[in-house]
Amino acid sequence: MRLTQTQLDAFAREGYLFFPGLFKPDEVKTLTDEVPAIYARREAFNVREKGSDAVRTNFAAHLYSEPFARLARHPRMILPVQQLFDEESLYMHQFKVNGKMAFEGDVWQWHQDYGTWKNDDWMPTERAMNVAIFLDDVNEFNGPLMFIPRSHRLGRLEAGHDVTTTSYPLWTIDNDTIKRLVDEGGIVAPKGPAGSMLLFHGNLVHASGSNM
């Protein structure tokens, strides 16, 4: 899977690319069939919602689940990142299966992922890419990811460590900064069927609401 020059230019300008329905229904089913057993495990890698038994996020499934291990190495995920970074050698810094249980799936505050990776993991540079696969259909009602286009071009922004809003501590960006960025770039929320894929820069400011 090679990106066109138009796609490369769009990523450089906007900070993300969206590929609706890239993975087929049978491929997605292989993954979704695996999720209940992963979420049921009482392990440190399952972070649950505050005041609920619902799993908020699962870490490192590619290390103990064969379907997710195969996904982590899938050419449809890897080749575009190699092309965007112009590098053959990549490493997987973090692998997550984010859940957003109906009614109980909480918000993700406005943040940059690289801000957390820099502060918590000491990641030395911003050459980091997010690759997200929709395991369910994503619409305006179930908490889609929201991006502020072009915000990745500002580099790493100042952030505060929010350890109270949700069960998952996050380095978040203050409201005044978000208002300014939205005035400049607006907000987009890519929506589509299960199997869609998002590529977005580690500095792209993003958030998501609750699953209604």
Side-chain angles (χ1 to χ4, degrees), residues 60-146:
H62 66 306
L63 300 181
Y64 45 84
S65 162
E66 181 182 353
F68 284 106
R70 292 167 60 193
L71 176 65
R73 296 159 176 82
H74 200 291
R76 271 171 266 172
M77 289 181 60
I78 300 302
L79 294 180
V81 180
Q82 289 176 322
Q83 188 178 355
L84 284 164
F85 284 161
D86 193 25
E87 288 193 23
E88 288 297 314
S89 298
L90 306 175
Y91 80 95
M92 183 76 68
H93 178 68
Q94 190 178 78
F95 191 100
K96 295 163 61 177
V97 183
N98 283 341
K100 192 163 278 195
M101 184 78 69
F103 309 113
E104 298 182 46
D106 209 347
V107 303
W108 291 85
Q109 311 94 297
W110 286 107
H111 67 285
Q112 297 170 303
D113 282 344
Y114 179 65
T116 293
W117 297 332
K118 171 69 173 176
N119 288 313
D120 292 352
D121 304 331
W122 300 357
M123 184 183 284
T125 73
E126 302 171 359
R127 288 176 62 77
M129 186 74 66
N130 283 290
V131 186
I133 310 296
F134 293 177
L135 297 184
D136 290 299
D137 296 344
V138 173
N139 56 50
E140 62 269 37
F141 308 116
N142 61 2
L145 272 172
M146 299 178 290

Side-chain angles (χ1 to χ4, degrees), residues 160-176:
H161 202 198
D162 184 346
V163 298
T164 60
T165 299
T166 70
S167 58
Y168 186 83
L170 203 62
W171 289 86
T172 61
I173 300 170
D174 68 88
N175 291 340
D176 287 341

Side-chain angles (χ1 to χ4, degrees), residues 33-49 52-68 97:
D33 285 350
E34 187 83 352
V35 172
I38 291 174
Y39 277 9
R41 294 171 64 170
R42 296 289 169 175
E43 304 278 359
F45 50 63
N46 278 330
V47 178
R48 299 181 185 273
E49 295 281 12
S52 167
D53 200 45
V55 172
R56 179 175 178 82
T57 190
N58 163 273
F59 285 95
H62 66 306
L63 300 181
Y64 45 84
S65 162
E66 181 182 353
F68 284 106
V97 183

